[in-house]
Amino acid sequence: MSHAVYGMMNLNVVKFLNNSGKRFPVNLRLSAEETASLSEDVRFLEDIVVSGKAFAQLGTLYFDTQIKTVIERPCRRCLAPVHTQVDLKEVFEVSIPAGVDILGLSPQIVGFILASLDPHPLCRPDCRGLCPVCGVNLNEHPDHTCRDADEEHRKLRDFLP
Ligand SMILES: [Zn+2]
Ligand SMILES: [Zn+2]
């Protein structure tokens, strides 16, 4: 018998509440199309898949899950797309409001994914970025030089930590 619940990361909590302390499998999936509105900073290239177990106790659900997806963000230096494989193990708890049968977990799950990401994604460790004067991609044009690159301008454009 499958306990899988699919769609918008909504978990039916009735069986958890009716069987306090008993672990049930959790299998949630959010399609890549459904993730479009979740974050302005990242693009999800694959479905978000959450698998694991959970049990309820005194109005709280305790999760032990694996979260997987693939995301794309622009390189902080040259804006080229950077793909990141997300594979997280997350143990967390969510309180169940009284009278609620369906719990939406998207905010939690997406929060874990975003928190796990390097805030300074680079297409490669030695990315040369864009010319601070004219914007030419210096990875593609390593010999490029603009006359007198303004030093202040360069600092403003430098996203290095
Ligand atoms: Zn880059
Ligand atoms: Zn230039």
Side-chain angles (χ1 to χ4, degrees), residues 25-37:
V26 171
N27 293 289
L28 299 168
R29 177 184 293 268
L30 193 60
S31 74
E33 296 77 50
E34 289 176 295
T35 63
S37 60

Side-chain angles (χ1 to χ4, degrees), residues 77-79 127-146 157:
R77 292 186 197 159
C78 77
L79 306 180
C127 171
R128 297 166 61 101
L130 305 177
C131 171
V133 178
C134 72
V136 148
N137 188 323
L138 299 176
N139 298 315
E140 292 162 15
H141 304 277
D143 298 327
H144 170 83
T145 49
C146 266
R157 293 280 186 108

Side-chain angles (χ1 to χ4, degrees), residues 2-79:
S2 170
H3 292 283
V5 180
Y6 290 110
M8 286 315 277
M9 298 241 158
N10 289 335
L11 185 68
N12 187 324
V13 298
V14 172
K15 71 168 180 285
F16 293 92
L17 291 172
N18 289 343
N19 298 273
S20 186
K22 182 167 164 34
R23 287 172 191 274
F24 291 100
V26 171
N27 293 289
L28 299 168
R29 177 184 293 268
L30 193 60
S31 74
E33 296 77 50
E34 289 176 295
T35 63
S37 60
L38 293 178
S39 168
E40 294 176 355
D41 305 321
V42 310
R43 198 158 83 83
F44 291 85
L45 300 182
E46 290 186 8
D47 295 356
I48 301 175
V49 177
V50 180
S51 57
K53 292 195 161 158
F55 68 92
Q57 201 149 40
L58 298 174
T60 299
L61 266 174
Y62 295 86
F63 290 89
D64 187 345
T65 61
Q66 200 85 22
I67 302 169
K68 295 188 184 187
T69 189
V70 177
I71 60 123
E72 179 185 284
R73 291 178 299 164
C75 172
R76 288 298 291 265
R77 292 186 197 159
C78 77
L79 306 180

Side-chain angles (χ1 to χ4, degrees), residues 87-105:
D87 189 351
L88 297 172
K89 184 168 169 51
E90 290 290 346
V91 176
F92 61 101
E93 52 188 77
V94 178
S95 58
I96 308 168
V100 162
D101 288 348
I102 306 287
L103 205 55
L105 293 171

